[in-house]
Amino acid sequence: MNKIKSFVSKLLKDFFNDDDKKELIEILTISLEEKVDDLVEAGTPLDEAIDKSITEFGGVDDVLEAYPELNKKKSLIRKRK
């Protein structure tokens, strides 16, 4: 499921320090892979399950909302220009 890890990496590429980014990429990738597995078990074809999981995931604002402890630490968040 390299497509999922690639999606998550691209999503977070401009945010967080490297240590936090690495951890978040791992957490979010596992979460999305679990969702894909659930969809596949329910009968959804693998490629469709991956695309659906990515589409429903949301964007970086949703990640910042889901991890408020990182969002509060302004020194951990940076956005490249």
Side-chain angles (χ1 to χ4, degrees), residues 63-80:
V63 174
L64 295 175
E65 215 172 280
Y67 293 91
E69 68 279 4
L70 295 178
N71 195 17
K72 288 178 186 174
K73 297 178 185 176
K74 295 298 182 189
S75 63
L76 296 179
I77 300 172
R78 72 180 195 290
K79 184 170 182 178
R80 296 182 192 149

Side-chain angles (χ1 to χ4, degrees), residues 12-24:
L12 299 179
K13 74 180 177 95
D14 293 332
F15 295 89
F16 304 106
N17 66 36
D18 289 339
D19 291 335
D20 289 327
K21 185 177 354 187
K22 184 177 178 181
E23 183 178 348
L24 272 174

Side-chain angles (χ1 to χ4, degrees), residues 7-56:
F7 164 74
V8 174
S9 295
K10 286 178 186 175
L11 182 72
L12 299 179
K13 74 180 177 95
D14 293 332
F15 295 89
F16 304 106
N17 66 36
D18 289 339
D19 291 335
D20 289 327
K21 185 177 354 187
K22 184 177 178 181
E23 183 178 348
L24 272 174
I25 288 170
E26 185 177 328
I27 291 168
L28 297 175
T29 298
I30 290 169
S31 178
L32 279 167
E33 288 174 347
E34 288 173 352
K35 180 173 180 142
V36 169
D37 290 342
D38 290 344
L39 290 169
V40 169
E41 285 180 24
T44 306
L46 179 60
D47 288 339
E48 186 179 326
I50 291 170
D51 291 340
K52 184 174 183 172
S53 295
I54 288 172
T55 300
E56 292 178 357

